[in-house]
Amino acid sequence: MLTVDVHITTVEGIKRTEPYGEHNRCDNCGKPLNKTKNIITGGQLCEVEWACCGACHDEMVEKGCAFEELGDMTYRQQKY
């Protein structure tokens, strides 16, 4: 079975590699759903996308998909 990893940078700047699909994650920074306080959906985000905070939402609207910009299954740095 093929395992795909994602690259995450925590709010503290620590870079980690974690299995993709293990958690439902913010589409911008990769923060797991169980660690977020709020989620933002709809509007200018695609139907299945969600953001964990206003800063991630704004960055997604401005820059688009993190994977398309950064490549190699890499999320942008977490904000909070």
Side-chain angles (χ1 to χ4, degrees):
M1 178 176 210
L2 177 64
T3 303
V4 177
D5 292 330
V6 292
H7 306 286
I8 297 169
T9 304
T10 66
V11 69
E12 297 87 8
I14 299 168
K15 296 183 186 237
R16 296 194 315 234
T17 300
E18 296 182 2
Y20 181 73
E22 189 172 290
H23 301 285
N24 190 352
R25 299 179 181 277
C26 170
D27 288 295
N28 190 61
C29 74
K31 185 174 280 191
L33 179 61
N34 64 352
K35 293 185 179 179
T36 62
K37 295 179 181 164
N38 298 300
I39 63 169
I40 301 169
T41 62
Q44 293 178 307
L45 301 181
C46 292
E47 188 174 310
V48 296
E49 289 181 329
W50 64 272
C52 67
C53 64
C56 278
H57 174 269
D58 293 346
E59 195 167 39
M60 287 172 65
V61 169
E62 179 185 336
K63 297 181 179 179
C65 176
F67 292 170
E68 289 177 8
E69 179 190 9
L70 304 173
D72 197 29
M73 299 295 282
T74 302
Y75 288 102
R76 296 183 180 102
Q77 184 167 351
Q78 293 177 1
K79 311 298 181 256
Y80 303 100

